[in-house]
Amino acid sequence: MSESPDARSLLSASSQLNLMEVDPIDDKEFDIPQVDTPPTLESILNELEDEEEPFVLEDTCMLNTDNIDAHSCDTSSLASSDSGDPAHLKRKKRTVDLNVSVHGSVLRHSLLKGISAQITSAADKVDAGLPTAITVSGVIAVGTSHGLALVFDTNQALRLCLGTKATGAEFGAVSALSINHDCSRLLCGFAKGQIAMWDLANGKLLRTITDAHPPGTAILHVKFTDDPTLAVCNDSGGSVFELAFRRVMGMRSCDSRCLFSGSKGEVCCIEPLRAPPDIRDHPVTHYSLLAMASLTKILVIGLKPSLKVWMTFPYSKSDPSSVPQLAWQFVPVQKTVNPILAFCKGDTVHFLLVKKEETGTIHVIKQRQLHLSCDIISLSWINSRTLVLVDSHEKLQVVDRPSQEILETLDLEQVQLVYNSRHFKSLATGGNVSQALALVGEKACYQSISSYAGQIVYLGTKSAHIMTLRNWRERIDCLLKQEHFVEALSLAWSFHEGTAKAVVGLFGDPVKRKGVVGDKMVEILLQFAEHALKKCPEQGKIQVMEQHFHDVVPVLVDYCLLLQRTDLLFNQLYARLVENVVAKGVFLESLESYIIADRLGLLTTPIMKDLLAHYHDNGLMDSLERCIVHLDVTSLDIQQVIRVCWENQLYDALIYVFNSGMNDYITPMEKLFAVIGPPLNEGRSLTDEEVVIGNKLLVYISCCLAGRAYPLGDIPEDLVDQVKHQVFEFLIRLHSADSSEEEEVFPFIHTLLHFDTREFLNVLAMTFEDFKNDKQALEYQQRTVDILLQVMVDNPDFTPSQVGGLFTFLARQLAKPDNTLFVNRKLFDQVLEFLCRPDDDSRHTERQQVLLELLQVGGVVQFDEGKLLALAETAKFYQICEFLYEKKHMFDRIIDCYLRDPLRKWEIFSYIHNLLSMPGYSPEEKQTVKDKALQHIQELMTLDPSKSADLVVVHFAEEVQQIISEFQDDELLFKFLSCLLESREGHPPGITLPLERDLHELLLDLMCRFASQQLLSFLQTSQHYRLEEAIQITQKYHHSEATVYLLEKKGDVHGAFTVLLETLQKKLSLLTAESNRGGEGGQTRQDEEDEKDGDSTLMRVEDSLNDIIALCHRSSQNLDQPQREVLWFPLLETMMAPQKQMKEPNTKNTSEVLKELTMKVLNSMSSFISLPAIIQRILQDPVYGKGKLAEIQGLILGMLDTFTYEQTLLETTTNLLNHDLHWSLAHLRAAVTRGLHPRQDYCNICLQQYKRKQESAEEIIVFSCGHLYHFQCLQQKDYGWGYASEQQQQWSCYKCSSSQRGRGGPSTKPKRGCSTSLAQTCVTSVHHDEGAEAHRKKVFVEATLDLQQEQSWDQLRCLYRGPSRLSILSELSHCHSNEKTGLLIPAQPGTESFQLKLSPPPLLEE
């Protein structure tokens, strides 16, 4: 059975609307019956259904799907799945979205069954046609496609059927409807342009208006304004007209006035501002505002007192098919209610606030816009904060305007929404509308959606539907039906806090509202607990049960605490949860986070007892401790808690209970000292747990002395001083309560000092900061300091660091301006002597660091610094010495400190550099430091030659000669000079060293002695030595390689050659001697290259020979022939001489190698000396001049082979070049002389045969493109290029040039492929005259390549892309141009980098 709430009028639903700050609706005006007690949701749901169903408050969750018409719809809200169908429930659970479910189901979507049935029945039985338009006010009117208007009352009963089928045939379909504010008149607009006015009281036709707008256009909108005699209409021509109704002498008439012409931009939506009954006298209503939306902009105009445009607003860019939307709403803004116009076209909703200024003008203020990701086709206000939108996919979205949040989404697909496309296209009158308006009309559904008093009615093709906001209880109950308890509680809490959106049904002041919602939440919490216990899995893993309750119990606790209902939590809910052991455990554990967050401070005794037992049994001692220190002590069983804490070492909780429960701050300290005291007294190292306890103790003492409670909070103000004094009294006790005979005096201070001296002293220092005017506290301070000195001074148990820490602490206290402490100065002297004991090497660095801290505090300024300096020097405390010297400005002595200190001696360079560079030191001080540094310069060099050199370059450049003269060690001097001159290279050019060349030559001398392998690279990179002196130095130390480099650099090639030749001769002599001795040297093989003592003699000969050949090669380029012979022939003789001396059989291997080397010399010579000269020189040699050529046969044959190779190479190259040249010229000639074949036998200009008259000697011109012209025709078109004689006139093809010019303008640069002739051919019809031959010869002599020939030449060059072989030959002959003769052809430019390509030339396709 379908059940429905009892509601007799549309307005009974709107009476529940929450209009926020707007005045409440007047019940009398809307005829709402008085109700003493509003019905509850349960009573409404249990009422029996009436015979005539009201259409308001119909809840789809109560509808039986069997009785609903096939075209009606159920809600598709993701958050409001209320159907009783189990499958439906499952589906919704899977898709639930927590973000949406926070709002629950906001809209109630109901099918208007009565109206839907009547619409269908009227269409079937009386041929009323399909529904086309709907409007709602105090009644509902539905227009049909056959021109009828059906009027229904609030009970969905059909009251009137207006019009007949005859009028429908004449006027067409109803395309627009409007009801005036008192529901007495109905305006109907028709598809063929007529407008009819009906009296809703008796169904009488009052007016038929046919001339209000141009004929042939459909009515798109017709709307009443607040004035019952004034309406506006909008037609499919895009024009807007004002309709003024008159009644004179019983005659009804209508005056029409054009407000906006469609010729200026078509309007497709209009919306007059209509005020609710309670604010009819709003100042803005006197202007009778009308909003109009054209395809490009919004206009707001005033119809009264005279027509005026108040505002225009263009759209942002949007889809042309998007439908403009307008909607007015009165909204409370800053304690005043003003109308807001919402408008959109596409996906952005704009809001305009309209206000009346005191001056009487309308002021429009732009508000924050709303961006959505959909194309909106309908826009309606459902209350002053909430909008309902429909997008082009027929998805309905409820949007909260202030937060711009989408509260709910519903699917309207099953509604089968009616669209007004036919009327926008004006099909009834022939479709004479613009394409733009017809495109917008595709999605137009203006007449299918109507809103009134918080309700929106949607018209489907066979049904009508209504949307209203659910009240707050319904929204919660919808979630409860789906067993979404967490979401229901979240939603209820948002109602409680006033953060919920679209709230309906909550009245009264905030306190009353919270009370009502709180009661509902208590009800939900109890339901949730019962549901959780009932749904708990009885069997299975314990983890599953735990997880089940973990999802429930924290939620229950959270909301109970939010509602401040601990009675509900501990009495009713806990009493139910205790029945399940797992639920009880989860409950007790979940309390921890709330206790720690101080949201729950007081537990009942039974709960506390269970909490202790549960945490203890499950080993959750850390959690228990965290809970105890946050709980109110009054709820604890102190004895039980102390016992549990002591057994489980929960010291934080123990301290908290003693402090808060019994105001006892001393007992916890005694207990903690009892834990860490014994192991410290026995000298044992503490365990990690004992260290944690010791740290707790220090923090606890610090808190007590600072007035803070441990572990959190503050000590009550009246107890602060008392606690402080108690703690001091305890610390300075002479003996503990249960002391033994062996116990030392002041055991507590003793223990803390042994545990962590520095931290204990820090605690005291922080405490002493607060002792200003408290006399008692100052006495404790002095007493504590005396005890500290008594315990620590002269006590071997404490390290120097600990004793130094004490005196640093004391020095800091004494240095304070308001110091009241007294310390015997002799003690400081004792400590200084103790720290500076020279016989104690242990902890040297530590003792020095402590003393330095003590000095830096400033507590010992008044002590004898001379004595302290003597002590520091004796103890080798160089940092202390530095500190004291710096105070006395004895900076030179600090250098000694650095040099003696093994840990910091390398920092001396930075110190000297910084002191000499930085301002703030006097010139005298800097000079003493410079003098001291110069005294120790050798020590500095030994430390780091590189840094010393940097220092000298920057600060001691003038004293370089003095520094060098004092050097004793030459090797150290070499290192220093290397770094000095290397460093000099990296410094800016402003720094110059005196006698720099002398320094480089000195370095060269030392390098010859100590690093000869670096000699050559030094000479090559350095530019600061003098050549003559450098040559003398290298000759002195017999470094031949360096001498040769310098001689060659000087330009003395022969000198360099002589040196290298001598070296080679020495090595050859050694080789000859070894070979003739027949020792191991004679058997040296060439592959023995990795001997430890160097290369073999033979390898050294080869290296030396390579060096000398390289020198001759480099030099020969710049020498003439005789000078070259002076170099090469002595080398050849030197190489040939040893071969004559090697006669022994065992020298055969060496002899072969020497012959190869001699051939190498000959091959190298042949590049610079002619072969005949070489042969002549060999033959003149006395050794070879005895007629026996056998010895030199190999040399001569080798030379002949070289000659033959070069001759063959030359001939091959010449043949290739000749072939290429012939090939290129032949193809050029063929291309130039190729015959041309005309495409047509007529002129392309005059279109006549080229032989117009057989007799006339008429010239014709043929182009390579195949076009043919008469000479005169072409001349008339003026397509010549030159201004020279007729014979040299250059022509271009008229047809091809014209088409090219049409495409891209004239081209001055001829392009490949353009139709200009390769050879311009003149053809005459008769014989030439006598001078033609001579003339032709003359032309040939003077001719140059025309553009077509140049183009052909370019094509040929591109076909052969290799380098020119002419240039190859030029390069090959370049080296021998002075000696060799032959065919030399100059190279073409740009071909210096060539490759020899011996492939045949490419073939050109004919």
Side-chain angles (χ1 to χ4, degrees), residues 1040-1060:
S1040 57
E1041 276 187 29
T1043 309
V1044 167
Y1045 171 76
L1046 291 169
L1047 287 169
E1048 190 179 354
K1049 188 175 179 181
K1050 179 185 171 185
D1052 185 1
V1053 176
H1054 290 285
F1057 178 77
T1058 306
V1059 173
L1060 280 176

Side-chain angles (χ1 to χ4, degrees), residues 1358-1372:
C1358 289
L1359 284 169
Y1360 180 67
R1361 294 185 182 276
S1364 163
R1365 283 169 178 154
L1366 292 167
S1367 64
I1368 294 172
L1369 182 59
S1370 171
E1371 290 294 339
L1372 286 173

Side-chain angles (χ1 to χ4, degrees), residues 1305-1326:
S1307 174
T1308 55
K1309 184 177 178 182
K1311 297 177 183 176
R1312 185 170 304 163
C1314 65
S1315 56
T1316 49
S1317 60
L1318 285 170
Q1320 295 196 12
T1321 309
C1322 286
V1323 181
T1324 54
S1325 302
V1326 295

